[in-house]
Amino acid sequence: MIIQQFYDKGLAHASYAIIRTGKMIVVDPARDPQAYYDFAGQHDADIVGVIETHPHADFVSSHLEIHQTTGAVIYTSKLTGAGYPHESFDDGDVIKLNDITLKAINTPGHSPDSICILVEDEEGSEEALFTGDTLFVGDVGRPDLRENVGNLTAKKEELARQMYHSTREKLMKLPHSVKVYPAHGPGSLCGKNISPDLESTIGREIRENYALQLMSELEFVDALIADQPFVPKYFGSDVELNKKGAPGFNDGLAHVVKADSNLSPEKNALVIDTRPNNEFLKGHEPGAINLQDGTRFETWLGSIVGPDERFYLVGDTEEDLDKIIRKAAKIGYERNIIAAITGPVYPEWPIREFNLPRFKTNPEKYTVVDVRNQKETEGGLMFNGAIVIPLPELRERVGEIPDDKPIVVHCAAGYRSAAAASIIAAKITAVPVLDLSEAVLEIGNMASYGE
């Protein structure tokens, strides 16, 4: 038996291929299925099945495309209410992959329709468990993403209670040697305490995972609900899209309009400028948001821009934009792109220098906006009196920022503050909007936005 993990750092998403004597099953596939086709080809295997552990919120799955391309059967819980051709896969159901067996285990908690997949070898020994978003290394799946979307909805408290019983009555009773293969790693917003390790064992999780320690159901519910990260705007939309089945990846890319630098966006249209901040500062479309390409670009795109909003995408080169479009497609946002604009030329904007000594000496003469997340600011603020507005909420709350003093924006490292400063500067033009970060404090100099 071959088990191969495919890991996408951008979304902290792990998918898997299981091969046994020429037949292959894919678990929780990413939007682009090419890696699975290539892997099957390398091992002279036929893809005969795709298993969805639940309708995912944080990425678009290619289960329907793989079925349409290869004829593979899609397996998912009957509770999913899937709108695509499938076979139900719930407690008591098995899939025979030649002489090994895949068994379904219903494990509600992250979602009402979550399942895990237990693999038994040819001798009936329990070897591996594909846990989806039920059990991570060091954590369990958050219970607050299915209160309003999906075939079945449930309050987070009820799902947390279900997670307590799924872990105690099903997963923790498996042999300690069973390997654990989760759908996410560190940085995923589907959990709050995920380890850097990408696989584990049941025994290790029982020893080390905070959520599997001895506690009452009430204690578990309180611990699981507390301190969960923010929910990006796109999560609900992706649950519904995955429940229905997404269009093919390359078909989605082919519909994106590409334009050269001569295209002018419509007035008041949303523009996402992905160029480096120093290039953006030299000149950009008025009102554009500087969301630079980076490791978590797709997550921040889906956190700042709503799933029903359309936007122009700006980049330096066609190669840059192709990469960004593919990232947008991982969360289903390729359909939101009005046009992708390559190599724009803008009139140069005047740049003001950040007078760091003046700011340090007279911080009361500035309005400081802290755009870090709630969990980051709970331990205290870096600047007394700062207005705390997490970046995912900033577009809706920019009106809370006064415009009677220069505005200083900061986060932890600079990526979010660059985006935040551009959002604020698009709405507040009476005073300078200055971008600060810990890295900037080391340098002692930073450009500002605005005329």
Side-chain angles (χ1 to χ4, degrees), residues 5 15 20 38 43 60 91-92 97 120 122 180 218 322 370 373 376-377 398 405 408 410 412:
Q5 182 184 77
S15 56
R20 181 66 174 174
D38 293 343
H43 292 272
V60 174
D91 279 335
L97 190 59
E120 295 181 351
E122 64 276 15
V180 171
L218 180 58
D322 283 343
D370 187 334
N373 297 325
E376 295 174 276
T377 58
V398 70
K405 294 184 287 189
V408 173
H410 85 92

Side-chain angles (χ1 to χ4, degrees), residues 160-366:
R161 285 191 289 270
Q162 292 179 14
M163 180 68 82
Y164 181 83
H165 293 282
S166 291
T167 52
R168 269 76 182 163
E169 297 169 9
K170 294 186 175 182
L171 303 189
M172 292 172 67
K173 290 185 176 181
L174 295 171
H176 285 205
S177 60
V178 170
K179 292 183 179 178
V180 171
Y181 295 106
H184 289 295
S188 169
L189 293 174
C190 291
K192 62 180 179 180
N193 191 52
I194 304 177
S195 164
D197 295 333
L198 300 181
E199 61 181 68
S200 185
T201 64
I202 290 294
R204 174 185 167 183
E205 293 312 298
I206 290 175
R207 292 191 306 271
E208 301 177 8
N209 190 319
Y210 82 94
L212 304 191
Q213 302 312 299
L214 183 63
M215 66 183 88
S216 69
E217 181 180 299
L218 180 58
E219 289 171 328
F220 177 89
V221 170
D222 289 343
L224 185 54
I225 290 175
D227 300 324
Q228 289 292 351
F230 70 92
V231 180
K233 293 179 172 68
Y234 76 96
F235 269 23
S237 174
D238 274 15
V239 168
E240 295 295 347
L241 181 56
N242 284 320
K243 179 174 165 288
K244 180 175 62 176
F249 180 67
N250 288 324
D251 290 341
L253 299 182
H255 283 90
V256 176
V257 174
K258 295 182 179 179
D260 60 26
S261 59
N262 294 321
L263 178 68
S264 295
E266 301 167 12
K267 187 177 180 181
N268 298 322
L270 180 59
V271 178
I272 303 297
D273 193 322
T274 66
R275 296 175 300 152
N277 182 245
N278 61 339
E279 292 298 319
F280 179 82
L281 284 171
K282 292 176 184 177
H284 55 266
E285 192 71 31
I289 297 175
N290 184 209
L291 191 62
Q292 304 165 81
D293 183 20
T295 304
R296 303 286 185 214
F297 172 82
E298 45 271 69
T299 297
W300 287 116
L301 176 65
S303 299
I304 294 171
V305 179
D308 297 323
E309 290 187 281
R310 304 199 71 210
F311 56 89
Y312 290 90
L313 198 62
V314 174
D316 266 334
T317 68
E318 187 170 347
E319 182 181 358
D320 292 337
L321 279 178
D322 283 343
K323 181 173 66 171
I324 295 296
I325 292 168
R326 294 175 77 88
K327 288 185 176 183
K330 289 195 289 183
I331 64 169
Y333 269 37
E334 82 283 358
R335 66 185 187 277
N336 300 47
I337 301 172
I338 301 170
I341 305 172
T342 304
V345 179
Y346 298 107
E348 288 200 4
W349 290 47
I351 296 177
R352 293 188 179 92
E353 297 298 321
F354 193 144
N355 190 328
L356 187 62
R358 182 174 183 271
F359 174 65
K360 286 181 175 180
T361 305
N362 303 288
E364 73 282 355
K365 294 185 177 181
Y366 297 81

Side-chain angles (χ1 to χ4, degrees), residues 30-102:
R31 179 75 191 276
D32 183 359
Q34 189 59 49
Y36 315 114
Y37 300 155
D38 293 343
F39 190 72
Q42 291 166 10
H43 292 272
D44 196 24
D46 295 322
I47 301 177
V48 297
V50 184
I51 304 175
E52 285 286 281
T53 58
H54 64 293
H56 299 278
D58 57 317
F59 70 93
V60 174
S61 172
S62 59
H63 53 277
L64 178 57
E65 180 176 359
I66 293 173
H67 162 73
Q68 293 171 335
T69 302
T70 69
V73 176
I74 305 174
Y75 300 91
T76 191
S77 171
K78 61 186 177 184
L79 302 176
T80 298
Y84 47 81
H86 67 283
E87 291 187 12
S88 62
F89 194 50
D90 294 280
D91 279 335
D93 293 332
V94 299
I95 301 169
K96 296 295 291 186
L97 190 59
N98 292 311
D99 57 350
I100 67 172
T101 302
L102 281 64

